Amino acid sequence: MIKRDGHIHTPYCPHGSKDSFSLYAEKAIESGLEEITFTEHAPLPEGFNDPVPEQDSGMKPADLEKYIQDLESVKKQYQKDLRIHTGLEIDYIEGFESQTIDFLNQYGFHLDDAILSVHFLKARGQYVCMDYSPESFEQLITLTGSTDLVHSLYYQTVLKSVQADLGPYKPKRIGHMTLAKKFQRLYPPLESHEDEIKQLLNAVKLHQLELDYNGAGTVKPHCQETYPTPAIASAAYKMGIDLVYGSDAHTADGLMQGTDQLIALNP
Ligand SMILES: [Zn+2]
Ligand SMILES: [Zn+2]
């Protein structure tokens, strides 16, 4: 029985739905959840030019204060039935570490919980949002030379995010660590990337971070599995790494997605 969801988007997501905080909270209670974290996409680092056509990967910087205030009131509103945490999903973008540190130093104090995720990869000097569309993934295949090289670049970038010194407010949880598999049925990798994954898990353990055990891939037609996969989740669990279920819901109906495919989780 899943009691906690540590990865939920909100009406502040420019590429998500306008479902209200209350709708999410009520659906969470109905589903038997006791604890949730709203983790909206943080504003992208200053100076970073969002490569997706709509330029809507992150929250608008001007909305951030209001987001935090809204969460304070929704926390109070549901305090009897649900523990609600204020969080953000923060992008790790290679080359923008100092802007990310500045952001965390300014706003980290408001956060109860947060996720550090890689969506953007830097290939041949160009930033591409890997998970935006099959076309963006294909663009990375062209830039790197192969599907396996995209996977390697992804794991290397996640490793950098794990090792990066982002100051005292660095998020404690690494988002969807196998997101490179989102389009695996269209672009199947030929290699297992076992060594890179092992290296990554060792670093997560060493830095005492947690893993987002993300259900969103299960409903993506070209993926159909959790991030990380059951085998990697099981290896992480055996190493004593905490896995925190995350629906990564962008609608209230998306809560609990993928919970039917999780291996036994730590309490
Ligand atoms: Zn999103
Ligand atoms: Zn994400």
Side-chain angles (χ1 to χ4, degrees):
M1 189 64 180
I2 299 298
K3 301 278 184 209
R4 176 179 174 198
D5 184 342
H7 190 159
I8 305 177
H9 291 275
T10 74
Y12 284 87
C13 181
H15 58 261
S17 71
K18 293 294 156 210
D19 286 358
S20 65
F21 284 111
S22 301
L23 202 58
Y24 282 100
E26 275 155 34
K27 177 81 197 296
I29 295 163
E30 228 173 80
S31 307
L33 291 168
E34 294 172 356
E35 189 175 353
I36 64 173
T37 305
F38 285 108
T39 51
E40 197 43 76
H41 296 283
L44 295 175
E46 230 171 281
F48 180 73
N49 191 18
D50 189 349
V52 319
E54 298 84 359
Q55 301 212 302
D56 63 353
S57 300
M59 181 198 295
K60 289 195 206 78
D63 282 349
L64 189 59
E65 304 268 350
K66 182 79 169 34
Y67 169 76
I68 293 165
Q69 283 170 16
D70 280 9
L71 274 170
E72 289 311 312
S73 70
V74 82
K75 264 182 198 177
K76 286 199 193 89
Q77 193 186 342
Y78 290 95
Q79 62 184 351
K80 286 214 306 288
D81 303 303
L82 189 63
R83 278 186 72 192
I84 298 177
H85 301 291
T86 300
L88 284 171
E89 180 177 14
I90 294 163
D91 268 279
Y92 173 80
I93 304 176
E94 201 184 339
F96 285 83
E97 290 84 351
S98 68
Q99 292 87 333
T100 306
I101 294 169
D102 290 347
F103 175 84
L104 287 167
N105 285 341
Q106 194 177 350
Y107 293 102
F109 153 82
H110 295 284
L111 305 176
D112 305 315
D113 188 19
I115 294 176
L116 189 64
S117 294
V118 173
H119 305 100
F120 300 97
L121 295 182
K122 188 180 185 184
R124 292 176 176 248
Q126 194 181 334
Y127 290 100
V128 178
C129 185
M130 179 191 69
D131 63 312
Y132 175 70
S133 65
E135 292 71 28
S136 64
F137 195 89
E138 207 184 318
Q139 193 187 351
L140 281 164
I141 297 174
T142 307
L143 287 168
T144 59
S146 75
T147 301
D148 283 295
L149 289 171
V150 180
H151 282 246
S152 292
L153 179 59
Y154 183 73
Y155 291 125
Q156 282 161 21
T157 310
V158 177
L159 181 63
K160 284 180 185 160
S161 78
V162 169
Q163 294 170 334
D165 179 4
L166 299 179
Y169 298 109
K170 177 174 175 173
K172 293 194 170 37
R173 192 150 68 255
I174 297 299
H176 42 60
M177 68 162 269
T178 55
L179 186 65
K181 289 164 150 288
K182 181 168 177 179
F183 304 114
Q184 62 181 343
R185 286 164 188 256
L186 283 178
Y187 305 112
L190 301 174
E191 295 158 26
S192 71
H193 298 273
E194 207 176 319
D195 293 343
E196 289 156 308
I197 288 161
K198 198 174 283 173
Q199 191 186 7
L200 187 48
L201 291 180
N202 285 335
V204 168
K205 174 78 182 164
L206 179 71
H207 291 270
Q208 298 177 295
L209 298 172
E210 306 166 340
L211 289 177
D212 169 42
Y213 193 7
N214 190 303
T218 63
V219 300
K220 299 286 189 289
H222 304 306
C223 182
Q224 300 185 29
E225 64 184 10
T226 54
Y227 314 121
T229 63
I232 299 170
S234 160
Y237 182 71
K238 284 189 193 125
M239 289 169 71
I241 295 170
D242 284 333
L243 297 146
V244 178
Y245 167 67
S247 63
D248 204 350
H250 287 67
T251 61
D253 278 340
L255 290 175
M256 305 303 275
Q257 62 191 357
T259 50
D260 54 329
Q261 294 185 36
L262 304 179
I263 58 153
L265 274 175
N266 29 359

